[in-house]
Amino acid sequence: MKQFLHFLVRIEPLFFILVLNILLRIPNLFEPYWYGDEGIYLTVGLALRNGLTLYKDIIDHKTPIIYLLAMVPSQFWFKLLLMAWTTCMLALFYRVAERFFTARKQAYIATFFFMLLTVLSFFEGNIANGELFVMGFVIGALALFTKTSLWRAFFQQKGKTVSRVSEIPVLFGAGALFSLGALTKVPAVFDAAAVGILFLFLYLRKPTYDTFTKLLRSTGVLAAGFVTPIFISIVYFAAKGALSDYFQFGLLYNFRYSFEFSL
């Protein structure tokens, strides 16, 4: 019991932040239907619940997971899912911040401001949009990555500069979470690429052949984790006879859209 009470005292600021996030989101549960993207997600989710095939029978240009998340009975449940999602996301963000900052107080402050930035309507935090769900996957991936010796070597300047064999499942899981983020919204690819750049800095710190081969192995494991969910999605849509539609409207559309928009 003493250990449990000590744990509660230690996480009291985080508990306050999580409760505040929930309280600030309660009014969002009762908002009317007013935002276009939410309506599109819920419409596609309803179609999927009724047996239609995504990209073949009903089309939108996002990757598939956001529509799977929208397979809920109503907007209320979609907002409730967002509330639970962001609460877990904040807890994971604190775990990452705790391993990034030297003082726990700094981690609490960072988590508090992150909560404000993701909940206030001024920043569209009240909208069940893809970005907030993507952040959950990405922060989850980073929370896993902070458990590796690669993180400790780069951010804490200690330990080996390459990962151990025992960390392969952790790296694979981090890659898979990055991939799930990309399958929710494509720009999560760039978050995964940022971790890849970290490997480059670790090599430049100690540019030996041994470092290169071991970092290459770590990169390969991370990449394998990233590719696996995407490969599974490709197999699924191929089995549904919607592979070309999936490539056209799901995986590749956002790259084409971004290029045309930049022009």
Side-chain angles (χ1 to χ4, degrees), residues 17 55 59 106 126 153 168 180 187 190 198 208 217 225:
I17 292 170
Y55 306 118
I59 296 171
Q106 295 171 319
N126 60 318
I168 287 178
L180 293 175
F190 300 105
L198 181 145
T208 65
R217 181 192 67 194

Side-chain angles (χ1 to χ4, degrees), residues 50-119:
N50 284 279
L52 274 67
T53 299
L54 184 59
Y55 306 118
K56 184 173 73 171
D57 300 324
I58 186 166
I59 296 171
D60 193 34
H61 58 80
K62 303 291 194 307
T63 38
I65 288 182
I66 186 62
Y67 307 114
L68 299 180
L69 294 171
M71 291 175 64
V72 290
S74 67
Q75 181 178 251
F76 172 86
W77 290 101
F78 201 24
K79 299 278 194 178
L80 190 64
L81 172 63
L82 180 66
M83 176 190 291
W85 188 276
T86 55
T87 302
C88 295
M89 179 180 73
L90 287 169
L92 290 171
F93 181 87
Y94 170 75
R95 294 297 296 172
V96 175
E98 190 179 35
R99 291 189 167 115
F100 184 84
F101 294 108
T102 55
R104 187 175 289 124
K105 180 180 179 181
Q106 295 171 319
Y108 287 131
I109 292 173
T111 305
F112 176 76
F113 280 103
F114 181 68
M115 182 272 296
L116 291 180
L117 291 172
T118 55
V119 73

Side-chain angles (χ1 to χ4, degrees), residues 174-194:
L177 285 173
F178 277 125
S179 181
L180 293 175
L183 287 173
T184 306
K185 208 158 188 179
V186 168
V189 170
F190 300 105
D191 297 299

Side-chain angles (χ1 to χ4, degrees), residues 209-229:
Y209 178 76
D210 183 62
T211 301
F212 174 77
T213 55
K214 291 181 179 179
L215 284 174
L216 185 63
R217 181 192 67 194
S218 299
T219 304
V221 173
L222 193 71
F226 187 86
V227 168
T228 298

Side-chain angles (χ1 to χ4, degrees), residues 153-249:
F154 187 82
F155 287 96
Q156 300 178 7
Q157 300 292 321
K158 63 182 180 179
K160 297 181 179 180
T161 58
V162 293
S163 64
R164 297 185 293 268
V165 174
S166 60
E167 295 174 350
I168 287 178
V170 178
L171 281 171
F172 185 90
L177 285 173
F178 277 125
S179 181
L180 293 175
L183 287 173
T184 306
K185 208 158 188 179
V186 168
V189 170
F190 300 105
D191 297 299
V195 174
I197 294 174
L198 181 145
F199 291 175
L200 174 62
F201 282 109
L202 285 172
Y203 171 72
L204 293 175
R205 180 179 296 168
K206 188 179 179 182
T208 65
Y209 178 76
D210 183 62
T211 301
F212 174 77
T213 55
K214 291 181 179 179
L215 284 174
L216 185 63
R217 181 192 67 194
S218 299
T219 304
V221 173
L222 193 71
F226 187 86
V227 168
T228 298
I230 295 175
F231 176 75
I232 292 173
S233 71
I234 290 172
V235 172
Y236 170 80
F237 284 106
K240 288 287 188 177
L243 183 58
S244 61
D245 300 305
Y246 178 43
F247 276 109
Q248 180 179 356
F249 298 108

